[in-house]
Amino acid sequence: MASVYKTLSKSNGINHETREKTDVSKKNRQRVLILSSRGVTFSRKDAKLDTKTKLYQLNELAELYNCNNVFFFEARKGKDLYLWMSKPPNGPTVKMHLQNLHTMEELHFTGNCLKGSRPILSFDAAFDSQPHLQLIKELFLHIFGVPKGARKSKPFTDHVMGFTVADGRIWIRCYQINETDSSSLEGTATAATAAAAAAAAAAAAADQEKKTKKKNSHVESTATAGGGTRDKETKLSLVEIGPRFVMTPIVILEGSFGGPVIYENREFVSPNQVRAELRTRRAGKYDRRSDQVVERRFKKGELGLRSDGGRRKRKSELDDSVLFA
């Protein structure tokens, strides 16, 4: 019985250790609910959220679909696009204004990546400088960071998503990781430079052979002991794929689509206000022209060109309006 108990305890211990290892390996279990309001066009037909005021209903939808992140696009007046990022049910929530959006179809870049591959997220050092940027960075990691082994994802990382902070905005770009062999790059050199390099190498080798005749045997033995040749070196470069867009943080709420405001961008100007100022400028041009006409008539009246002694000047008998009446 003692031997049976030992074998069972050992097997249970091994299973317990393997369970712990598997539990440690399972990290970043994030599910994102992507939804939009009416007015946003997608590549395929999808459900839309009718309301724009009762956004707290997204918390119930996230709970229904077992999602712990919400990515909501809100379109207003068919001109402005806002982005909401939230962590239901407790928050926080970030609202951003999305501008300068260009799709891959518009850009026609040469880069490409595999559909479903996992991206490498690259963040600017400025994200660690301020607290609200640190919070936004953490939300980006939860939303754009695809977990390993996620459904419909490929086990490849062939593109990079870059997040950069400049002028109080967040600039997002996508790049392909392009690998090229050094041998192919060297083959593009001209024949003249290749011949010169070969001649120089041959001369250096001849000099070295004269100086190290006594050590040839030792060098050969060490070379054979090392075994194998060097692997071909590959050079990495980035080629932009698209899409590209710019986001301006507006406000950060403590809760999920509600709660007190913990950050507000005082420098943000609403696009409605910008359009209103443009309309007032156009209307101001007409007002200035009408004021100039009134002022011109008043000056002519003071000079006696339009009146005679404070009265309207009498028309001459030779005036065209009198002769050809």
Side-chain angles (χ1 to χ4, degrees):
M1 293 294 293
S3 60
V4 174
Y5 176 76
K6 287 182 180 180
T7 54
L8 290 175
S9 62
K10 286 181 180 180
S11 62
N12 291 331
I14 294 171
N15 292 332
H16 183 67
E17 291 178 358
T18 53
R19 286 175 185 174
E20 287 183 353
K21 290 181 180 179
T22 54
D23 292 339
V24 170
S25 62
K26 292 181 180 179
K27 296 180 180 179
N28 191 15
R29 299 185 65 86
Q30 304 292 331
R31 291 174 63 89
V32 183
L33 174 65
I34 302 177
L35 201 62
S36 68
S37 64
R38 294 193 178 275
V40 180
T41 57
F42 281 107
S43 59
R44 62 185 179 89
K45 292 184 179 180
D46 204 349
K48 306 295 174 87
L49 187 68
D50 290 336
T51 181
K52 294 182 181 178
T53 56
K54 301 177 182 180
L55 296 181
Y56 58 85
Q57 295 177 357
L58 291 170
N59 296 327
E60 300 176 2
L61 291 175
E63 184 180 0
L64 181 64
Y65 288 98
N66 194 19
C67 296
N68 51 4
N69 296 282
V70 175
F71 203 67
F72 178 65
F73 294 96
E74 180 185 1
R76 291 185 176 272
K77 298 183 179 180
K79 301 177 181 179
D80 306 325
L81 183 62
Y82 295 91
L83 175 64
W84 294 80
M85 296 188 302
S86 178
K87 293 283 294 181
N90 299 323
T93 303
V94 180
K95 181 182 180 181
M96 296 187 180
H97 182 219
L98 201 147
Q99 293 174 295
N100 300 333
L101 176 61
H102 300 283
T103 61
M104 297 174 65
E105 186 178 0
E106 297 174 357
L107 297 173
H108 297 290
F109 284 134
T110 58
N112 197 1
C113 66
L114 186 67
K115 183 178 180 180
S117 61
R118 300 168 59 227
I120 297 175
L121 304 183
S122 174
F123 289 93
D124 188 7
F127 276 96
D128 298 329
S129 60
Q130 298 179 8
H132 71 280
L133 293 177
Q134 293 177 2
L135 190 145
I136 293 173
K137 176 183 176 181
E138 192 67 23
L139 283 176
F140 282 152
L141 287 172
H142 289 183
I143 291 174
F144 291 103
V146 181
K148 186 177 181 180
R151 187 169 61 92
K152 294 184 179 181
S153 66
K154 304 294 189 300
F156 307 108
T157 53
D158 58 353
H159 65 286
V160 179
M161 288 189 67
F163 301 85
T164 308
V165 178
D167 298 332
R169 301 176 181 178
I170 300 174
W171 305 69
I172 297 181
R173 299 288 186 269
C174 297
Y175 301 94
Q176 174 195 356
I177 302 175
N178 190 16
E179 297 183 2
T180 54
D181 295 334
S182 59
S183 59
S184 62
L185 295 176
E186 292 175 357
T188 57
T190 59
T193 54
D207 294 337
Q208 189 175 3
E209 284 178 0
K210 292 179 181 179
K211 294 178 181 179
T212 59
K213 282 183 178 180
K214 296 181 181 180
K215 298 181 181 180
N216 282 337
S217 58
H218 178 67
V219 171
E220 289 177 359
S221 61
T222 54
T224 53
T229 59
R230 290 185 179 180
D231 296 334
K232 293 183 179 179
E233 296 181 356
T234 58
K235 293 187 177 181
L236 301 179
S237 61
L238 297 179
V239 182
E240 189 169 357
I241 306 172
R244 52 165 59 176
F245 52 93
V246 182
M247 295 188 297
T248 305
I250 302 175
V251 68
I252 299 178
L253 306 177
E254 185 177 0
S256 179
F257 297 102
V261 178
I262 59 178
Y263 171 78
E264 184 178 2
N265 188 3
R266 302 286 184 179
E267 298 179 356
F268 175 74
V269 180
S270 174
N272 291 329
Q273 185 176 353
V274 174
R275 286 191 290 266
E277 290 179 355
L278 291 175
R279 287 195 295 267
T280 53
R281 287 181 185 177
R282 293 168 187 166
K285 291 181 181 179
Y286 174 76
D287 294 338
R288 285 193 294 271
R289 285 198 299 267
S290 59
D291 293 340
Q292 289 175 1
V293 171
V294 173
E295 186 178 0
R296 193 183 307 113
R297 288 179 179 177
F298 183 74
K299 287 181 179 180
K300 287 183 177 181
E302 289 181 349
L303 295 174
L305 299 176
R306 295 178 58 86
S307 63
D308 187 10
R311 299 177 181 178
R312 189 170 183 178
K313 195 172 182 179
R314 190 175 181 180
K315 291 183 179 180
S316 176
E317 297 178 356
L318 300 177
D319 194 18
D320 293 341
S321 60
V322 176
L323 290 174
F324 303 100

